[in-house]
Amino acid sequence: MDFLFTMPEKRVLFGGGVFSRLKDEIEKLGCAAPLVLSTSSKRSGEKIQSVLAPLNYELYDGARMHVPAESVEEAFAFMEGRSFDCLVAVGGGSSIGLAKALALRTGLPIVAVPTTYAGSEMTPIWGITEGGVKTTGRDDRALPKVVLYDPELYASLPASVAGVSAMNALAHCVEALYAENANPVSDLFAEEGIRLIVGNLTSSLTGPYKSEAIECVLRGAWMGGMVLAMTTMGLHHKLCHTLGGSLGLPHAETHAIMLPHVIAFNSEYAGAAMRKIARGFGTTTPKEAAGRAYAMLSGVGAKNVLKDLGMRFEDIEKVADLAARNKYSNPRPFTAGKLVPLLENAYRGKAPE
Ligand code: NAD
């Protein structure tokens, strides 16, 4: 296996209560005037106030899903005339995504405090949606310098968000294993990420061992974020970006529905990677892994029908065409025509084939 391995410099703090170290981490960067970004939530505003009160910070809570270009303009206008020296994203991929878009414009460093399992905090990948098309790219300015993973912040995450968000992390691990630029480290993280998420997700949502299980799922999601950064994702991510960007479908819910279908679609290709995927899921074949991913949807109370997310039947061909338009690596070669039956199954919520 030939490979290229790089590890950008960044600090990751993981543990119950590390959120209380946010002010220290900002000061370690030499900063004192943060702009804090989040999606609107009174609760998170109060928590932020409790740890950042001594600093000269401002909270902007207008982050929105898929980072619409207008939301970046609005946030940029909010920054005008004030002198911030860093961006602090507290929230899921939407808050972190807005911080990334602003970092590209301003060059300010980002400190991320994730509160979902999306993994964006570990990557230099940015995305902005304009005119129904989501454009993504990689830029080191978008890579957070410091990440604080505090499992205690996840206690308030509703099961309806947590379950699908963890399946988003699972998708990063699955596609990293068959990525053309996988390396021995990404392979280890990805398989372990699958094992941690599959083994602990249900108990992380309810039950007596919830907090221990949240820690395990969060560790898996961190690994998912790392392998997302190290490798190039395939068909699954392309389809989900197309569904999100062109139809406005919600990010994590779409990932959760699509994952079993894409594992099944690729199951007879990339044999070695597929064996690792199956092992991570605790199954013996990739088809069984697809079945387990499909069963997880009802296990975590997620929808399994794209129609229920607002997709129309007539959108299927448009999405297949858009997703097949550019060449990118995927174990199984495909054309738009090959994607139609896969999308039809997901649209109707049928078991993966
Ligand atoms: P999100 O950030 O929109 O959060 C989902 C919902 O959960 C929001 O309503 C939010 O307010 C709420 N929420 C978040 N944390 C909470 C908590 N602890 N308690 C209560 N409510 C909470 O969704 P997401 O799935 O985290 O992120 C999706 C976005 O991230 C998409 O735009 C996607 O493209 C992007 N993303 C980017 C990358 C990358 O590497 N660039 C990776 C993954 C996702």
Side-chain angles (χ1 to χ4, degrees), residues 38-55:
S38 81
T39 40
S40 55
S41 156
K42 193 167 166 289
R43 240 179 97 95
S44 65
E46 284 162 6
K47 275 193 188 146
I48 292 160
Q49 166 78 11
S50 71
V51 296
L52 289 189
L55 292 183

Side-chain angles (χ1 to χ4, degrees), residues 94-111:
S94 300
S95 306
I96 297 168
L98 177 60
K100 288 177 169 189
L102 293 174
L104 290 182
R105 287 237 188 137
T106 61
L108 293 178
I110 303 174
V111 176

Side-chain angles (χ1 to χ4, degrees), residues 38-41 43-44 47 63-68 90-97 100 114-127 129 134 136-137 152-158 161-162 164-165 168 172 225 228-229 237 241 250-253 255:
S38 81
T39 40
S40 55
S41 156
R43 240 179 97 95
S44 65
K47 275 193 188 146
R64 303 212 303 269
M65 181 78 75
H66 300 309
V67 195
V90 181
S94 300
S95 306
I96 297 168
K100 288 177 169 189
T115 62
T116 70
Y117 300 116
S120 177
E121 64 283 352
M122 293 307 297
T123 83
I125 304 166
W126 56 268
T129 304
K134 185 164 186 173
T136 60
E152 287 173 11
L153 299 179
Y154 289 68
S156 68
L157 192 62
V161 181
V164 289
S165 179
N168 182 193
H172 305 329
L228 175 63
H237 280 72
H241 280 177
H251 178 84
E253 287 83 347
H255 270 270

Side-chain angles (χ1 to χ4, degrees), residues 9-209:
E9 197 185 319
K10 73 150 60 201
R11 271 169 78 76
V12 174
L13 288 81
F14 189 109
V18 295
F19 184 54
S20 63
R21 288 156 68 181
L22 179 58
K23 178 177 149 289
D24 291 352
E25 291 300 320
I26 291 169
E27 287 172 343
K28 277 197 183 104
L29 283 177
C31 299
L35 171 62
V36 183
L37 301 153
S38 81
T39 40
S40 55
S41 156
K42 193 167 166 289
R43 240 179 97 95
S44 65
E46 284 162 6
K47 275 193 188 146
I48 292 160
Q49 166 78 11
S50 71
V51 296
L52 289 189
L55 292 183
N56 177 25
Y57 81 95
E58 296 255 15
L59 173 63
Y60 181 80
D61 64 6
R64 303 212 303 269
M65 181 78 75
H66 300 309
V67 195
E70 319 82 78
S71 74
V72 181
E73 293 308 327
E74 285 158 21
F76 195 61
F78 180 87
M79 294 180 79
E80 244 171 71
R82 309 174 208 215
S83 37
F84 297 109
D85 56 13
C86 66
L87 301 162
V88 175
V90 181
S94 300
S95 306
I96 297 168
L98 177 60
K100 288 177 169 189
L102 293 174
L104 290 182
R105 287 237 188 137
T106 61
L108 293 178
I110 303 174
V111 176
V113 184
T115 62
T116 70
Y117 300 116
S120 177
E121 64 283 352
M122 293 307 297
T123 83
I125 304 166
W126 56 268
I128 297 177
T129 304
E130 192 162 21
V133 178
K134 185 164 186 173
T135 307
T136 60
R138 284 179 183 252
D139 192 304
D140 286 344
R141 287 171 298 174
L143 181 70
K145 298 266 182 286
V146 184
V147 179
L148 285 85
Y149 283 109
D150 187 339
E152 287 173 11
L153 299 179
Y154 289 68
S156 68
L157 192 62
S160 59
V161 181
V164 289
S165 179
M167 289 194 69
N168 182 193
L170 200 51
H172 305 329
C173 296
V174 165
E175 293 226 291
L177 280 163
Y178 55 61
E180 60 180 358
N181 52 358
N183 63 62
V185 175
S186 65
D187 279 3
L188 283 174
F189 286 161
E191 187 177 334
E192 177 67 357
I194 296 175
R195 197 186 65 74
L196 284 165
I197 295 168
V198 173
N200 293 283
L201 183 54
T202 312
S203 43
S204 75
L205 302 177
T206 50
Y209 302 109

